Amino acid sequence: MINRRKFIVNTTKSAGGMALLSLVPSFVKAGNWDANKQYTVQEVIDIILKEGNLTPINNTVDTLKSGSADMVVTGIVTTMFATITVIEQAVKLNANFIIAHEPTFYNHTDNPDWVKDNSIVKQKQALLAKHKITVWRFHDYIHSLKPDAVAYGTAKKLGWLPYFKTGKYDVTIPPMSLQQLVKHLKTSLGIAHVRVIGDLNRQCSHIGMLPGAPGGQRQVAFAEKEKPDVLVVGELSEWETAEYMRDQRLLGGKMALVILGHQFSEDPGMEYLVEWLQPKLPGVKITHAVPVDPFMWM
């Protein structure tokens, strides 16, 4: 289990034979890859795109947020958010390349002028520049991998890989009560508290998994089409999905809702990225950093 209050290192090699992990070029399999080679940031990005069979995405948010593509990489840190603490941990590890899933500057496109003259943005930019750290966002592309590495990583963390199907965002697991499911989610993902709508004693088996924040329209459309026993999400707009769930239950529906929190729902994908990427960059130290939960529960 991840202790979400600690910085962790994950270099565990996959034993599951995931399709992504098999996408290593023949010259690497033959042992001709120089483990002492130095890589620039751009070379690492190119390797990720090539090994993931990814084509360029127009208007992607997966761009550099600081630093330079020509910088020689001394180490890599994968994370959900490039927080101040994560930046400081990267410095201690002598890792100058952070691959973050979500924005660094508090808005989807990382526009530093989203709020003009934002003092926190300026201080964070100065900290990154001081330590010569490059941050690259890996959001659109990681979700474009086959399978989606975030969905796969979450299923792996939950022990649900036997039920996981590429391209599907629902699983059918052995029946358990909603209360048992909630306990399993919290224990497996290292979550202290979740929010739930539903009957804790009701048995459930068909689970919809929509990590992150895909938006109320997608969440409700998924619920309407797939009719899961439980919809598990990262976060939501309370005036959209939560209200839909409240009314469907008041009208006699049985579907339940579990809200994990954005970070906890997708962090397993960034943890799994270490496992996926390490064989492709021999000799480069790759570490996963879990940002500290920003909330206090009272």
Side-chain angles (χ1 to χ4, degrees):
M1 185 196 322
I2 295 179
N3 184 330
R4 59 192 173 84
R5 296 191 178 278
K6 292 183 179 180
F7 183 82
I8 67 170
V9 177
N10 183 349
T11 55
T12 306
K13 299 293 181 68
S14 172
M18 178 187 177
L20 283 174
L21 204 56
S22 67
L23 294 175
V24 182
S26 58
F27 66 87
V28 177
K29 294 177 181 177
N32 294 326
W33 200 335
D34 183 1
N36 296 316
K37 173 179 169 55
Q38 289 187 313
Y39 302 89
T40 65
V41 165
Q42 189 60 57
E43 286 174 329
V44 171
I45 293 172
D46 290 344
I47 287 170
I48 291 173
L49 299 183
K50 178 182 177 182
E51 296 301 310
N53 285 338
L54 297 167
T55 56
I57 298 174
N58 291 330
N59 301 316
T60 181
V61 295
D62 292 4
T63 58
L64 297 186
K65 311 306 177 184
S66 68
S68 167
D70 297 328
M71 184 188 72
V72 175
V73 175
T74 59
I76 298 173
V77 168
T78 72
T79 190
M80 270 293 292
F81 296 95
T83 67
I84 300 301
T85 302
V86 168
I87 294 168
E88 292 171 345
Q89 292 287 359
V91 172
K92 291 178 182 178
L93 287 167
N94 191 34
N96 60 359
F97 186 22
I98 296 175
I99 301 178
H101 185 60
E102 294 298 359
T104 299
F105 298 116
Y106 325 119
N107 65 94
H108 186 56
T109 61
D110 282 292
N111 178 3
D113 294 321
W114 181 59
V115 172
K116 197 164 183 62
D117 296 323
N118 188 323
S119 62
I120 304 304
V121 167
K122 292 179 180 179
Q123 291 179 68
K124 195 171 190 178
Q125 288 174 324
L127 180 65
L128 289 164
K130 173 184 176 181
H131 295 292
K132 297 181 173 59
I133 291 178
T134 295
V135 176
W136 178 55
R137 188 172 180 193
F138 191 38
H139 180 274
D140 298 347
Y141 284 116
I142 196 171
H143 284 303
S144 299
L145 291 169
K146 304 297 182 188
D148 179 328
V150 171
Y152 181 92
T154 302
K156 185 175 187 290
K157 197 78 177 174
L158 290 168
W160 289 352
L161 287 185
Y163 318 111
F164 178 83
K165 295 180 181 179
T166 300
K168 299 287 288 183
Y169 289 91
D170 56 342
V171 296
T172 300
I173 62 173
M176 63 178 68
S177 69
L178 177 59
Q179 186 163 12
Q180 289 172 321
L181 174 65
V182 168
K183 181 179 180 181
H184 177 68
L185 292 168
K186 291 171 63 177
T187 301
S188 301
L189 302 178
I191 308 175
H193 300 85
V194 298
R195 291 192 289 172
V196 181
I197 295 175
D199 178 358
L200 293 177
N201 294 317
R202 184 172 175 79
Q203 291 290 296
C204 53
S205 177
H206 182 201
I207 314 298
M209 293 292 299
L210 292 180
Q217 185 177 38
R218 183 179 172 191
Q219 289 167 342
V220 172
F222 182 92
E224 282 288 301
K225 179 181 178 181
E226 303 297 339
K227 299 290 191 298
D229 298 327
V230 184
L231 182 64
V232 180
V233 303
E235 65 173 273
L236 49 70
S237 295
E238 294 184 16
W239 51 275
E240 294 177 336
T241 308
E243 284 305 301
Y244 164 83
M245 283 293 179
R246 171 153 53 184
D247 280 348
Q248 68 89 20
R249 293 189 60 79
L250 290 172
L251 291 169
K254 304 298 182 183
M255 192 184 309
L257 173 71
V258 179
I259 308 170
L260 302 176
H262 196 135
Q263 175 176 309
F264 296 113
S265 71
E266 293 197 298
D267 183 70
M270 296 308 289
E271 179 185 5
Y272 173 71
L273 179 60
V274 176
E275 190 176 317
W276 182 82
L277 188 55
Q278 188 67 79
K280 301 162 178 54
L281 296 172
V284 177
K285 184 177 181 182
I286 308 176
T287 306
H288 177 61
V290 182
V292 175
D293 185 358
F295 300 104
M296 291 190 300
W297 296 88
M298 301 180 67

